[in-house]
Amino acid sequence: MAKFIHKLFSRDFNNYEGVRPIQVYLLRLVFLLTFLFIGMFSWTTIISYDGEWKPINAVAFSIWAAYSTLSLLGILKPLKMLPIIALQVFYKIVWLTIVAYPLWVNGKLVGSDAEQMARDFMWVALPLVAMPWKYFFRSFFGNLNIKPINDNV
């Protein structure tokens, strides 16, 4: 059992490019939950909607439907689909910061239209923990060849 736990938390360079297997399994869980819950909510709303969409609501549901569907790829190839996790983390933290936090500080979150979404978005802790941040930044930003504008520099 100790060997299994050690292997689960040790970096795996053979299978996962140095990412810990526990993080890969957590990523797959996040992608699965995203596909099931966000996908079910967004696609059910889109398919069953009867009426004229408000443009901003249509954008929100379209984005949720698209990224939840792309989460299927994340279940299969979690390290290649990390930008979806980054999007999920970023937009939820931004929303919690600019919408929920001010309401909470002023004692107006409970009972507001934002209360349930704030509860749902608090689950952002799971992708925050699952995301292999060092790998993400190294893989997606580490090889940027940024050249100065002035060639004389």
Side-chain angles (χ1 to χ4, degrees):
M1 183 67 163
K3 186 177 178 181
F4 171 75
I5 291 174
H6 181 269
K7 188 175 180 180
L8 196 59
F9 287 91
S10 296
R11 296 190 180 280
D12 187 338
F13 291 95
N14 295 327
N15 300 312
Y16 303 122
E17 302 177 49
V19 175
R20 292 174 176 88
I22 187 70
Q23 286 180 291
V24 173
Y25 300 141
L26 286 173
L27 284 169
R28 285 189 169 126
L29 176 64
V30 170
F31 283 119
L32 177 65
L33 293 173
T34 299
F35 174 72
L36 292 175
F37 291 105
I38 303 300
M40 188 170 48
F41 173 65
S42 60
W43 283 109
T44 301
T45 302
I46 289 170
I47 291 168
S48 65
Y49 195 80
D50 186 24
E52 189 174 319
W53 283 93
K54 291 182 181 176
I56 196 71
N57 290 350
V59 167
F61 279 98
S62 297
I63 289 171
W64 287 334
Y67 98 79
S68 66
T69 304
L70 287 172
S71 291
L72 278 173
L73 294 174
I75 295 168
L76 302 172
K77 300 283 187 181
L79 297 179
K80 297 211 182 282
M81 299 303 286
L82 289 179
I84 291 178
I85 299 293
L87 170 69
Q88 187 177 57
V89 167
F90 188 63
Y91 91 78
K92 288 180 180 181
I93 288 175
V94 168
W95 189 91
L96 286 167
T97 303
I98 67 171
V99 176
Y101 181 73
L103 289 171
W104 179 70
V105 166
N106 293 317
K108 296 178 181 176
L109 181 61
V110 175
S112 73
D113 291 342
E115 182 181 13
Q116 184 58 50
M117 190 165 283
R119 280 196 192 115
D120 294 342
F121 280 16
M122 293 304 288
W123 283 96
V124 74
L126 182 57
L128 270 170
V129 170
M131 176 70 114
W133 290 103
K134 187 184 253 185
Y135 172 84
F136 174 74
F137 284 110
R138 185 178 68 239
S139 297
F140 291 93
F141 301 106
N143 296 328
L144 294 178
N145 292 324
I146 300 173
K147 296 181 182 184
I149 295 172
N150 184 351
D151 291 336
N152 296 328
V153 176

